[in-house]
Amino acid sequence: MRVMGRTKQFDKQAALDGAMQLFWAKGFHGTSMQDLVDNLGVNRQSLYDTFGGKHELFEAALERYRELQALPMRRLLEKEGSVAEILRSFFQEMVSGMLNTEGKGCLMVNSTTELASQDEAVFGTCSANARQLEAAFTGLIVRAQQSGEIPEDRSPVQLARFLLSTMNGLAVTAKATRDRKVLNDVVEVALSALGL
């Protein structure tokens, strides 16, 4: 009688979350398949069978990051109330998040700087995320103009792009300093540039 080999079962979502954390800490190039095997406790063949190669696993991890990090941040911009308070709260939440990640920064920004210029799939994911954030900022600025918080003669799209650049700059700066005051100073100048 032939005995069938048992396939090792593992929690795909937990493995994906673990891979996301590892890529976030070490980057795509700094993370080897062996690092993934060692840290996730999943054998190499199971990772290949489930996710494909390292690149496919990275793409899935980047999408998971968008789901866990970027989507909740965009939702903060859709709240009702004073736009000045919403933006201040958004950036304070971002600064706190950056300081709580032990210098890892933002996986989306890290991936943009590491890979987007050479990798079309990563470029597509990062660009889509940026467009969604820009749209959320634009909508918020239009609301601020309608309520009189920001003058109507300023382009909402240009201001949204400025805020997106500020956000990306904060993510990079947070990797170079863990000083909340430095990051808060950037936020205050950005808000004052909008007249808030």
Side-chain angles (χ1 to χ4, degrees):
M1 179 173 132
R2 199 163 71 108
V3 177
M4 297 290 287
R6 285 185 13 179
T7 307
K8 183 177 178 187
Q9 297 296 316
F10 67 96
D11 183 334
K12 181 179 175 181
Q13 199 63 63
L16 186 56
D17 287 346
M20 180 191 76
Q21 291 295 333
L22 196 57
F23 285 127
W24 193 0
K26 299 180 75 172
F28 176 76
H29 293 301
T31 304
S32 67
M33 271 312 276
Q34 192 59 50
D35 291 332
L36 291 161
V37 168
D38 293 344
N39 283 274
L40 304 181
V42 178
N43 72 52
R44 188 180 298 258
Q45 192 58 51
S46 293
L47 285 176
Y48 281 122
D49 291 345
T50 304
F51 297 105
K54 180 178 124 175
H55 191 273
E56 290 80 9
L57 177 54
F58 179 77
E59 287 178 33
L62 199 54
E63 284 297 341
R64 179 71 173 152
Y65 181 86
R66 280 181 76 188
E67 178 188 329
L68 293 176
Q69 302 284 332
L71 182 60
M73 290 301 285
R74 283 202 315 272
R75 288 198 176 128
L76 288 175
L77 298 174
E78 295 165 0
K79 287 185 170 183
E80 294 298 320
S82 156
V83 171
E85 288 173 20
I86 290 168
L87 281 173
R88 183 166 273 106
S89 173
F90 173 87
F91 281 113
Q92 285 173 349
E93 185 88 16
M94 183 185 170
V95 165
S96 292
M98 294 289 126
L99 293 174
N100 290 336
T101 62
E102 299 167 357
K104 290 191 294 190
C106 166
L107 179 58
M108 199 63 63
V109 173
N110 296 350
S111 301
T112 301
T113 56
E114 182 185 10
L115 295 170
S117 65
Q118 336 147 3
D119 187 311
E120 281 302 312
V122 172
F123 172 78
T125 300
C126 294
S127 292
N129 190 65
R131 284 192 305 274
Q132 288 173 333
L133 275 165
E134 182 184 306
F137 279 131
T138 301
L140 188 64
I141 290 162
V142 167
R143 273 179 38 206
Q145 290 178 324
Q146 290 168 346
S147 68
E149 286 184 78
I150 293 177
E152 289 188 6
D153 63 346
R154 301 181 75 183
S155 163
V157 172
Q158 288 179 348
L159 293 177
R161 289 174 179 162
F162 166 72
L163 289 174
L164 184 60
S165 291
T166 300
M167 186 179 155
N168 291 337
L170 279 169
V172 174
T173 303
K175 292 182 76 166
T177 180
R178 296 199 181 121
D179 187 335
R180 185 180 294 273
K181 183 178 183 329
V182 170
L183 301 175
N184 284 341
D185 284 348
V186 174
V187 172
E188 288 308 315
V189 171
L191 295 178
S192 69
L194 270 65
L196 298 173

